[in-house]
Amino acid sequence: MLALQGAFREHLETLATVGVEGVGVRLPADLVGIDGLILPGGESTTMRRLIDRWSLREPILDLAAAGAPLFGTCAGMILLASEIVGDEAAVLPLLDVTVHRNAFGRQLESFETELQVPVLGDRPVRAVFIRAPVIERVGPEVDVLATLPDGRIVAVRERNIIATAFHPELAGETRFHRLVAAMASEHADPGEGAGRRHHPTRRARASR
């Protein structure tokens, strides 16, 4: 759990709810032995500065390159995007998407809604949007997990990287955290799932 700024405590509480012991990451040494990382909502500009101040950029990129799952919510999505509207430099360009910061306006325009996220089952996901970004472009390797009724993209996955424009952890929603925990377990022990049904969200691609 990237614990530099933002709603990391709520994520840690959600992880505890699903039986996962979260670890706060503030320094590169904290990433040793980590099987996955959550990047919380908060102030993306502040988190960018702290990531650079504490030399976390390269270790996080190395963690992702090794196949560990990363999950970004709201500002965490901005940190993971390869392109940010307004020519702002990318921080951890792991998702081939273009994001627009504060796409819904000021905090007074924050809202809650229910979204269909088929990879998480039939029951709608309760989503909290707070000064949220939106995805304006997705690359060919990016799976769209959820959209608003008007078609705007608010959740995506590219291989081991997942991002949402909303805060599931503020709505009591645990299924994203369960998914990331399962991915982390598989990363830690690739043979664990041998002989079992293939992970339902791992989509096979014809080109691979």
Side-chain angles (χ1 to χ4, degrees):
M1 181 72 242
L2 189 66
L4 300 176
Q5 189 267 342
F8 60 88
R9 292 182 182 84
E10 290 83 354
H11 279 287
L12 288 170
E13 291 170 359
T14 303
L15 287 172
T17 298
V18 302
V20 175
E21 181 181 358
V23 176
V25 170
R26 296 177 176 86
L27 297 170
D30 298 330
L31 289 166
V32 176
I34 292 294
D35 297 316
L37 183 66
I38 296 175
L39 292 80
E43 294 290 339
S44 61
T45 301
T46 300
M47 284 194 275
R48 169 199 298 271
R49 292 171 179 163
L50 293 173
I51 285 171
D52 287 336
R53 177 181 299 175
W54 303 116
S55 302
L56 283 163
R57 189 183 301 235
E58 290 304 319
I60 292 174
L61 291 174
D62 289 344
L63 182 70
L70 271 63
F71 174 35
T73 60
C74 197
M77 169 186 276
I78 297 170
L79 296 177
L80 292 170
S82 63
E83 185 178 15
I84 304 168
V85 172
D87 295 325
E88 183 178 344
V91 183
L92 303 164
L94 294 166
L95 274 175
D96 185 12
V97 300
T98 301
V99 299
H100 183 185
R101 297 176 59 186
N102 297 334
F104 300 93
R106 296 174 175 271
Q107 189 151 345
L108 289 176
E109 278 73 54
S110 300
F111 64 97
E112 295 186 30
T113 190
E114 291 191 339
L115 300 171
Q116 293 296 327
V117 186
V119 297
L120 298 182
D122 296 332
R123 180 166 54 87
V125 167
R126 191 70 184 171
V128 178
F129 289 81
I130 303 174
R131 297 181 62 192
V134 73
I135 293 176
E136 296 190 346
R137 177 198 63 85
V138 297
E141 297 295 307
V142 176
D143 295 327
V144 174
L145 301 183
T147 63
L148 292 171
D150 61 9
R152 285 184 288 182
I153 299 169
V154 292
V156 293
R157 175 178 180 178
E158 184 174 5
R159 292 182 291 276
N160 55 315
I161 312 298
I162 298 176
T164 65
F166 51 88
H167 296 265
E169 79 285 357
L170 298 182
E173 173 58 60
T174 63
R175 283 172 287 172
F176 276 102
H177 293 75
R178 292 180 188 277
L179 171 59
V180 173
M183 293 168 63
S185 178
E186 184 178 345
H187 168 68
D189 186 0
E192 170 118 5
R196 297 189 300 181
R197 183 168 62 91
H198 195 56
H199 197 289
T201 65
R202 190 69 59 83
R203 190 178 76 181
R205 297 183 185 275
S207 62
R208 293 183 182 175

